[in-house]
Amino acid sequence: MSEAVAHERVVEQLPKAETHIHLEGSIRPETVFDLAAKNDVELPEDSVEELVAAYDFESLNDFIDKFAFIPQILQSAEDFERVTAELGADSARQNVPYREVAYGYAGYDGLGVDWETVDAGIAAGRERAREEHGVELRFIPSIDRTADPERGVSIVEHVADIEADLGIVAVGLASKEQGYPAHDHARAFELADELGFNTVAHAGEDVGPGSVWNALLALDVDRIDHGVRAIEDDILVEYLAQRDVPLTTCPVSNVELNVYDDLSDHPVVDLHEQGVFVTVNSDDPPMFHADLNENYVRVAETFDLSLEDLVALAKHSFEATFLDEEDKATYVDRVEEAAEDLRADVAGD
Ligand code: ADE
Ligand code: ZN
C-alpha cells in the first residue's frame, strides 16, 4: 500500500460493522476498576496498569476462568448502562456505527443480579449510544455452553419478551468449547428458530472442524463465531464457501489465546482466498489489548493487504450483519463513499 495512505488511516476512515464482540469483555479497564470499587469487589491488582498487565491468558479455558470475575462488578442497571454507553462511545471513536454485541446471563446466576436488571441497563445504555454517539448497538444473548441446557431454553423464552427493547438480533452460544458440544443445546436453538430468531455459535476456536460441523448440523446456525479451524477440513471449507456462512473471525484474540502462535499463521486470508465469507472482529478488545481498528491494521500489515482489500473487508462486515438488505446497502454505500475519498488521496500522491 502507498506509504502516504497508511493502514491506520485507511482503517480509521472506513466505516465498519462488528458482529463479534462481548459486552463483558469490552469494558474499559478504568471502568472495571471504578465498578469494582463501587461494588466492593476486591481485585488482586492495585492499579489500572496492573489490571491490564494481568490480561494475559494461556488458552480459551484460562481466559474463561479468569474472566469469571467480570459479572461480579456489574450489579445494578446503572452499571450495565454505563458499560453499554461507553461501548457506544468507543465504537464512534473507531468509526464503527453498527455493532451486534454478545452478552450473557449465566454469569449472574447466584450473584443476586436478576435478568431484568441486565436488560434494563443494556436498554438504557443502548439509547445513550444512539443519542450521544450516533451508534446503533444490537444484542445477541449468548447461551453458556457449560451451563445446564435447561438454562439455555429459559434464556430463549426470556428474550422473546424483551426483543424490541434490546434490539435482539440473534441467539448465540459461547464459553468453553472442549468437552461442551454444541448439540447439548439443540433444544434451545430449535426454540430460537421456532420463535423466529437468527442464531450464531462460537465454534472452531479451541476445538477443530468437528465442532464447526456440530454447530452447523445440530444447531443450524446462520453464522459461526471464529470458525477458523474449519481450515483443517477441505470439505468443510467448501461447504462454508458454497453456503456463504459468515465466519466472524477474531485474529488477535486467537493469537492471545494461543490458538495460533503468530498472526502470520492465522487462516483469515487463506479462508477468504478459498471463497469463505470472513469478517474481522475484536472479541474482547481491552482484554486482548487490541480494539477493532487494531485488528484490521495488524491483519493488513501481516498479510500486506491493499486499500481495495480493506474496502472489501469493511463492506463484508456490514453484509455479515443481521440488518435488512436496505440498511446493509445504505452502510455499504457509506463505505464506498469513504473508499472514493481514500482512492482520491492515493491518486493525488
Ligand atoms: N466469551 C468471551 N470471549 C469468548 C471467546 N473468545 N470464546 C468463547 N467464549 C467467549
Ligand atoms: Zn467471542
Side-chain angles (χ1 to χ4, degrees):
M1 180 172 300
S2 154
E3 284 290 311
V5 185
H7 288 127
E8 284 85 0
R9 230 186 85 212
V10 171
V11 169
E12 277 166 19
Q13 289 194 17
L14 290 172
K16 299 155 297 287
E18 181 162 35
T19 48
H20 185 165
I21 178 168
H22 300 262
L23 181 66
E24 303 85 346
S26 72
I27 307 174
R28 297 173 182 170
E30 297 76 13
T31 304
V32 170
F33 227 72
D34 267 12
L35 291 176
K38 169 177 169 277
N39 291 324
D40 291 326
V41 175
E42 212 170 308
L43 297 178
E45 297 82 18
D46 292 325
S47 66
V48 172
E49 291 70 29
E50 280 181 33
L51 177 71
V52 172
Y55 288 161
D56 182 23
F57 313 103
E58 278 168 19
S59 61
L60 174 63
N61 284 0
D62 183 42
F63 169 71
I64 298 288
D65 288 341
K66 288 183 177 156
F67 186 79
F69 82 95
I70 290 281
Q72 296 175 30
I73 64 162
L74 295 166
Q75 295 186 7
S76 65
E78 289 70 32
D79 298 341
F80 286 93
E81 176 181 336
R82 174 173 173 182
V83 298
T84 306
E86 288 181 353
L87 180 59
D90 294 343
S91 302
R93 199 171 28 75
Q94 293 175 79
N95 204 355
V96 182
Y98 180 82
R99 258 176 165 154
E100 294 176 356
V101 184
Y103 71 100
Y105 289 107
Y108 306 100
D109 287 350
L111 295 178
V113 175
D114 55 33
W115 292 357
E116 287 72 19
T117 301
V118 179
D119 300 337
I122 291 179
R126 166 170 193 257
E127 275 304 308
R128 284 180 50 198
R130 190 184 288 136
E131 279 163 23
E132 295 169 20
H133 308 291
V135 168
E136 181 65 23
L137 300 178
R138 305 266 169 100
F139 286 87
I140 302 178
S142 286
I143 294 170
D144 185 328
R145 272 180 187 264
T146 71
D148 183 335
E150 279 306 314
R151 292 299 278 171
V153 173
S154 312
I155 287 171
V156 177
E157 287 165 347
H158 172 72
V159 296
D161 297 332
I162 49 127
E163 199 179 342
D165 292 345
L166 270 76
I168 303 285
V169 288
V171 169
L173 185 72
S175 189
K176 292 183 181 177
E177 194 175 2
Q178 286 185 31
Y180 299 99
H183 64 240
D184 283 351
H185 298 280
R187 279 213 314 117
F189 278 73
E190 240 168 67
L191 179 61
D193 197 44
E194 273 167 35
L195 294 172
F197 287 110
N198 300 302
T199 53
V200 302
H202 282 62
E205 175 188 18
D206 203 28
V207 176
S211 176
V212 178
W213 280 121
N214 200 332
L216 290 169
L217 301 180
L219 307 186
D220 194 22
V221 290
D222 301 296
R223 234 169 34 201
I224 298 280
D225 290 323
H226 295 292
V228 283
R229 296 197 46 199
I231 196 77
E232 297 164 29
D233 177 344
D234 291 345
I235 293 175
L236 178 55
V237 168
E238 210 179 307
Y239 182 95
L240 292 167
Q242 275 185 6
R243 301 202 172 208
D244 246 354
V245 180
L247 304 186
T248 64
T249 80
C250 305
V252 174
S253 161
N254 292 154
V255 174
E256 289 289 311
L257 299 186
N258 293 310
V259 176
Y260 298 104
D261 290 340
D262 192 86
L263 204 55
S264 59
D265 301 322
H266 197 278
V268 58
V269 170
D270 194 358
L271 285 162
H272 168 71
E273 285 171 354
Q274 294 191 55
V276 178
F277 186 163
V278 290
T279 62
V280 169
N281 302 272
S282 65
D283 212 4
D284 304 284
M287 301 210 156
F288 300 141
H289 315 283
D291 62 18
L292 184 62
N293 284 359
E294 176 83 7
N295 269 269
Y296 272 74
V297 168
R298 285 182 56 186
V299 168
E301 283 176 351
T302 304
F303 297 100
D304 197 23
L305 299 190
S306 67
L307 170 58
E308 294 310 327
D309 291 332
L310 285 167
V311 170
L313 262 182
K315 287 182 179 173
H316 253 128
S317 73
F318 289 104
E319 284 157 356
T321 66
F322 292 122
L323 285 165
D324 63 32
E325 294 306 317
E326 201 181 321
D327 286 340
K328 283 186 194 179
T330 304
Y331 279 117
V332 169
D333 286 348
R334 278 171 62 178
V335 177
E336 184 52 30
E337 272 168 40
E340 283 297 321
D341 291 344
L342 286 161
R343 289 183 195 116
D345 284 357
V346 174
D349 280 350

